[in-house]
Amino acid sequence: MKDFFKLFIFNLIFYSFFITFSAFGIPFLALIIAFQAPFISHRKAMKKFRRAIAWYGIGVCRILPFPFVRISYKDFETSINHPGPFIFICNHRSASDPFLMAYLPYEEVIQVVNIWPFKIPVLGFAAKCAGYLSVREMAFEDFVKKTIGHLNDGISIAAFPEGTRSADGSVGQFHSSIFRVALKSGYPIVPICITGNENIPARGTLLLKPGVIKIHKLNSITYDKYKDFSPYKLKNQIRSIMMDHIKIMENKRDA
Amino acid sequence: MTEQEIIQLTNQVFEESFEIEKELLKPETNIFEDLGLDSLDVVDLVVALQEKFGVKIRNDERIKNIRSLGDIYNFIFKLKEEH
């Protein structure tokens, strides 16, 4: 009964603030940037939209659910000190994953998203203005061209190659599109493993449960290490690295 | 070309082009769910099969119905019979 009450209070508080914050915060930020847009460069406007989404992400994932939900970010990079840009590959368990990308210590990150985030009122508009790439609505050649264009401009790319949220917490099969971009462009790949948010909220429900979300940024994999791989081998290699690390994160395997 | 030769050559394509272990190559193996191929990988597969068997299959509508390795064996077998 006590747990039920705690869960009820948590969800009541979160959703009250979430609705208010989403209904006013994002339109307010988007309006400010939209007014500035004619007077600044296109790239700068895109950057501002991305920053607005990142702020929204931190608000929704860190501030509003606190102290019921805590976030732990760890950087395991040991091999190189590459300035970037990078191709971030993330596992996908929750609708909160794209907002958690705000934790990456890189300002310029464009996300590769499915169709649905573009359909969210206002936020979808902001995502379009931020230059997010709706991979299913683009021809593969356009996707490659645009993605490599962003990377060459110094902007990192974050992708969720499972394509959809995992229903049972397992890491689904990867789509190869982003790995083909990596092989064509030669930028380092950085796996990002996220656990703990599978119930915040779980797929098919809006009910949030308290917990700790862990975000682990793994070692970069530089082009010289994967240049001779086929796209199929590359995607499975990265998937395997991530699955092994997720097992460690969830204490299913010894470190 | 016998059915056994077609199976052997098709499996070779999976081993050489995708580095998939021999043990996974069974007729009932689903190329999408079990092996994790996606639509772009299928394009690579079609190119490799064309080279291996010397046939043109890129525009063949029957490719869309392929799900398992067994489907590929049957498809190639029928294709070879037609030529």
Side-chain angles (χ1 to χ4, degrees), chain A residues 61-76:
Chain A
C61 294
R62 186 178 190 171
I63 300 167
L64 297 187
F66 185 83
F68 298 98
V69 175
R70 290 168 193 267
I71 297 174
S72 149
Y73 172 81
K74 277 188 188 171
D75 190 338
F76 285 80

Side-chain angles (χ1 to χ4, degrees), chain B residues 27-40:
Chain B
E28 65 274 19
T29 303
N30 186 302
I31 61 168
F32 302 107
E33 287 162 22
D34 300 328
L35 301 182
L37 268 71
D38 63 20
S39 54
L40 295 169

Side-chain angles (χ1 to χ4, degrees), chain A residues 140 173-177 180 228-233 235-236, chain B residues 17-20 32-38 40-42 44:
Chain A
F140 175 64
Q173 297 287 2
F174 279 5
H175 290 271
S176 63
S177 315
R180 289 171 192 269
D228 297 325
F229 286 13
S230 68
Y232 179 82
K233 187 180 176 184
K235 73 173 182 180
N236 284 318
Chain B
S17 303
F18 297 97
E19 295 180 49
I20 293 171
F32 302 107
E33 287 162 22
D34 300 328
L35 301 182
L37 268 71
D38 63 20
L40 295 169
D41 296 324
V42 168
D44 291 342

